[in-house]
Amino acid sequence: MKFKINNKTWYIKELSQQEMKEELKKHYENPITDGKYYGLTYADIQTIFLDKDLCQDRKRSTLLHELGHCYIITYITHQDRNYNEEDVVDIVSNSHDIIRNIVDKYFEVKNEHKSKHK
């Protein structure tokens, strides 16, 4: 699925764990490939990757988390990543509707796709 945030087009793609680890290798010189990755967000390719085998509840919470990264990458342009409590509250309150709408649309599209293939 693709979506726009701050007039930039982003993509959400579901991958296997092996494919997620291949993406890590594309973006980092010495990635940690042990363990499991639920989600990854990359600003350079404006893409969020989700583990395709997660249950729906975990996938939803992971997408919410990854969209938080997406929001920060897109709207906060300063390099200082030290946020105080007021900064965090502003980020959460300003991003809530944007992020929730994207998540709802993503799962609506997924569920429509599943219904068509039954």
Side-chain angles (χ1 to χ4, degrees), residues 72 76-84 87 91:
I72 289 169
I76 301 175
T77 58
H78 61 82
Q79 295 299 312
D80 182 16
R81 299 282 191 200
N82 295 316
Y83 305 116
N84 64 35
D87 294 331
I91 291 167

Side-chain angles (χ1 to χ4, degrees), residues 14-59:
E14 293 192 17
L15 303 177
S16 68
Q17 275 299 303
Q18 185 58 41
E19 292 168 319
M20 298 270 278
K21 291 174 183 178
E22 292 303 316
E23 284 300 324
L24 280 168
K25 291 175 187 174
K26 290 179 190 176
H27 289 86
Y28 297 101
E29 194 171 308
N30 295 311
I32 299 171
T33 56
D34 296 342
K36 186 172 181 157
Y37 288 88
Y38 292 161
L40 301 168
T41 298
Y42 293 111
D44 58 335
I45 58 172
Q46 292 176 197
T47 302
I48 294 171
F49 296 107
L50 298 173
D51 179 342
K52 71 178 188 167
D53 296 321
L54 293 175
C55 69
Q56 186 161 328
D57 287 343
R58 174 59 83 177
K59 197 175 289 183

Side-chain angles (χ1 to χ4, degrees), residues 6 8 13 16 30 53 58 70 73 86 108:
N6 200 16
K8 294 180 173 127
K13 297 180 180 177
S16 68
N30 295 311
D53 296 321
R58 174 59 83 177
C70 177
I73 290 165
E86 288 303 311
E108 180 182 304

Side-chain angles (χ1 to χ4, degrees), residues 1 3 12 67 98-106:
M1 183 185 114
F3 65 94
I12 302 169
L67 283 164
I98 294 167
I99 289 173
R100 187 57 77 175
N101 287 337
I102 294 167
V103 170
D104 289 346
K105 180 70 175 169
Y106 181 77

